């Protein structure tokens, strides 16, 4: 239905309507399917940080609650009865694949996210088929690490981050079905085997996270030159598939060789979002962080080598220009806003000050 806030907006989820009759409700993930036809969302109805998951068909308003279901043998837990009607319990994160399935994460007894599952919920024609069967893709056995899942901004990869206070490790799956091995028992060609690959194995004291940029990983990490660690996150890159931290090279300014973000005290890095406008051959990274004691936003015009094979330059990603955005007030808080489409020629930013 139409939104009362802005003309032309459509309300996908009315939280007040969902919360009617409840004494507590917190919403977790809210995510649209790739074809924009279904909305998956999670909610915590009790305040214990254990979420339920629901899927809504936007054209009809039909809605289904994911139920506890069958687990693959050897997943480390007791499988509920096939007729179980208890809502699925998860950590609240939900990610769509490209074939009508959802990734979700199970909590252990201490509320630590530790198991990654995949469940098929739509058939090849986009119809609801949830059979309550789950495939265990990964289990984090180290009790110091928690799992977090997300999708790269361009939608190509599922990112699975195991993180502790002192270190992290990222795995990934290419979500495009044609880049995955077809299962032997696949009837309609929609199911595929998924193998998680590791960006770089965990190393004590090293934290990192990644974003995808035209065949490269943009790595935000505290790993500096010579294996040392830095006080802030710096920006490095490597090609997708180049395993190991030793393959990470600093992202530098063309001409000077200066690192865009070296992890030092002068300029800190909080996040990087990559845009490739549909009407342009250029790729831009919008970075957020701090400089001169204040939050800042930079736009980086990237030079990216798309060459594949033996002729590819392992570190062919540099910055042709880097501009720090200016704002009306010198003392302000700014950052990147809720962007959804990496092909747009503009970026939404958040901004506020004491008078704005």
């Amino acid at each position: 239905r139409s939104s009362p806030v802005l003309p032309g907006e459509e309300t996908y989820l009315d939280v007040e309507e969902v919360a009617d009759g409840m004494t507590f409700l917190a919403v977790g993930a809210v995510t649209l399917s790739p074809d924009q036809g279904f909305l998956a969302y999670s909610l915590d109805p009790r305040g214990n940080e254990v979420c339920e998951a629901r899927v809504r068909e936007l054209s009809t308003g039909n809605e289904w609650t994911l139920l506890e279901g069958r687990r693959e043998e050897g997943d480390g837990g007791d499988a509920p009865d096939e007729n179980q009607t208890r809502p699925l319990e998860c950590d609240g994160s939900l990610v769509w694949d490209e074939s009508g399935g959802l990734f979700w994460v199970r909590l252990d007894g201490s509320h630590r996210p530790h198991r990654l599952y995949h469940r098929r919920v739509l058939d090849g024609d986009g119809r609801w088929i949830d059979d309550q069967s789950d495939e265990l893709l990964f289990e984090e056995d180290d009790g110091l690490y928690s799992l977090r899942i997300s999708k790269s901004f361009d939608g190509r990869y599922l990112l699975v981050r195991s993180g502790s206070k002192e270190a992290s490790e990222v795995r990934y799956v290419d979500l495009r079905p044609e880049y995955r091995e077809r299962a032997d028992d696949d009837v309609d060609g929609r199911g595929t085997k998924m193998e998680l690959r590791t960006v770089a194995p965990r190393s004590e004291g090293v934290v990192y996270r990644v974003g995808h940029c035209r065949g490269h990983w943009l790595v935000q990490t505290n790993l500096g030159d010579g294996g040392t660690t830095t006080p802030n996150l710096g920006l490095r890159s490597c090609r997708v598939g180049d395993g190991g931290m030793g393959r990470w090279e600093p992202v530098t300014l063309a001409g000077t060789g200066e690192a865009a973000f070296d992890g030092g005290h002068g300029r800190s890095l909080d996040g990087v979002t990559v845009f490739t406008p549909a009407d342009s051959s250029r790729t831009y990274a919008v970075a957020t962080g701090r400089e001169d004691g204040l939050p800042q936003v930079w736009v980086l015009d990237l030079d990216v080598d798309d060459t594949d094979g033996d002729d590819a330059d392992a570190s062919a990603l540099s910055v042709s220009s880097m501009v720090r955005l200016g704002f009306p007030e010198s003392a302000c808080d700014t950052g990147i806003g809720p962007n959804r489409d990496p092909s747009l020629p503009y970026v939404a930013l958040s901004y506020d000050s004491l008078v704005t």
Side-chain angles (χ1 to χ4, degrees):
R1 60 185 174 82
S2 299
S3 167
V5 181
L6 291 174
E9 284 197 334
E10 182 179 349
T11 300
Y12 287 157
L13 182 66
D14 188 330
V15 178
E16 290 188 0
E17 183 179 282
V18 176
D20 186 40
M22 298 182 178
T23 57
F24 178 89
L25 178 68
V27 177
V30 180
T31 177
L32 283 169
S33 62
D35 66 359
Q36 309 289 295
F38 291 81
L39 181 78
Y41 69 98
S42 60
L43 52 89
D44 172 8
R46 293 172 293 274
N48 61 353
E49 298 183 355
V50 177
C51 291
E52 301 174 4
R54 300 179 182 179
V55 174
R56 175 179 296 179
E57 187 175 21
L58 296 177
S59 62
T60 65
N62 293 335
E63 185 168 289
W64 301 271
T65 298
L66 272 64
L67 305 178
E68 289 287 358
R70 299 184 295 277
R71 306 280 178 268
E72 285 198 339
E73 184 177 353
D75 74 349
D78 297 329
D81 186 89
E82 290 188 16
N83 296 320
Q84 179 63 264
T85 58
R86 181 165 56 91
L88 177 75
E89 293 184 346
C90 63
D91 76 331
S93 54
L94 298 169
V95 174
W96 288 97
D97 69 7
E98 297 295 319
S99 305
L102 283 169
F103 299 96
W104 62 277
V105 176
R106 168 77 71 186
L107 299 166
D108 67 7
S110 63
H111 279 213
R112 177 180 68 94
H114 74 131
R115 288 189 191 137
L116 170 64
Y117 288 97
H118 178 263
R119 177 181 293 197
R120 181 100 171 273
V121 296
L122 304 176
D123 66 12
D125 296 321
R127 295 173 299 199
W128 178 259
I129 59 162
D130 180 30
D131 63 1
Q132 302 181 45
S133 296
D134 295 300
E135 178 188 3
L136 177 65
L137 299 179
F138 177 70
E139 181 170 3
E140 178 53 68
D141 295 319
D142 192 327
L144 296 178
Y145 287 77
S146 297
L147 282 186
R148 293 290 183 269
I149 63 173
S150 61
K151 185 183 286 189
S152 60
F153 188 47
D154 60 6
R156 178 166 174 174
Y157 292 101
L158 171 75
L159 303 175
V160 184
R161 187 173 187 264
S162 296
S164 71
K165 295 293 186 181
E166 300 294 333
S168 57
E169 181 178 61
V170 178
R171 293 173 171 83
Y172 64 96
V173 171
D174 195 323
L175 294 177
R176 297 172 298 175
E178 64 269 25
Y179 283 82
R180 300 203 300 262
E181 179 184 356
R182 180 169 171 173
D184 296 334
D185 58 353
D186 182 18
V187 177
D188 59 7
R190 301 280 287 183
T192 49
K193 296 178 181 178
M194 287 178 251
E195 179 184 358
L196 272 71
R197 303 183 66 182
T198 303
V199 175
R202 66 191 66 175
S203 178
E204 185 177 356
V206 177
V207 296
Y208 74 94
R209 56 179 179 262
V210 301
H212 181 242
C213 177
R214 290 171 51 186
H216 296 73
W217 293 127
L218 281 176
V219 186
Q220 303 157 61
T221 179
N222 69 335
L223 181 66
D225 295 330
T228 60
T229 57
T230 56
N232 291 304
L233 295 181
L235 186 62
R236 293 176 172 259
S237 71
C238 68
R239 286 192 175 270
V240 173
D242 285 352
M245 297 178 182
R247 305 283 289 180
W248 298 351
E249 297 291 339
V251 175
T252 58
L253 302 177
T256 68
E258 176 190 356
F261 294 90
D262 61 8
H265 290 290
R267 182 186 296 153
S268 68
L269 178 66
D270 293 335
V272 177
T273 305
V274 177
F275 293 83
T276 302
D279 58 353
S280 172
S281 61
R282 304 298 301 169
T283 296
Y284 302 92
V286 179
T288 58
R290 298 184 70 87
E291 190 175 42
D292 298 332
L294 293 170
Q296 307 289 354
V297 177
W298 296 265
V299 177
L300 288 68
D301 187 348
L302 300 178
D303 288 324
V304 185
D305 182 0
D306 290 323
T307 307
D308 292 323
D310 296 336
D311 295 331
D313 183 346
S315 59
L317 194 154
S318 61
V319 180
S320 61
S321 67
M322 179 174 174
V323 177
R324 193 178 87 179
L325 301 185
F327 297 96
E329 288 87 19
S330 58
C332 64
D333 188 9
T334 186
I336 193 164
N339 297 274
R340 295 292 181 265
D341 188 347
S343 67
L344 294 176
Y346 54 82
V347 57
L349 301 176
S350 61
Y351 174 85
D352 66 84
S353 71
L354 295 176
V355 297
T356 305

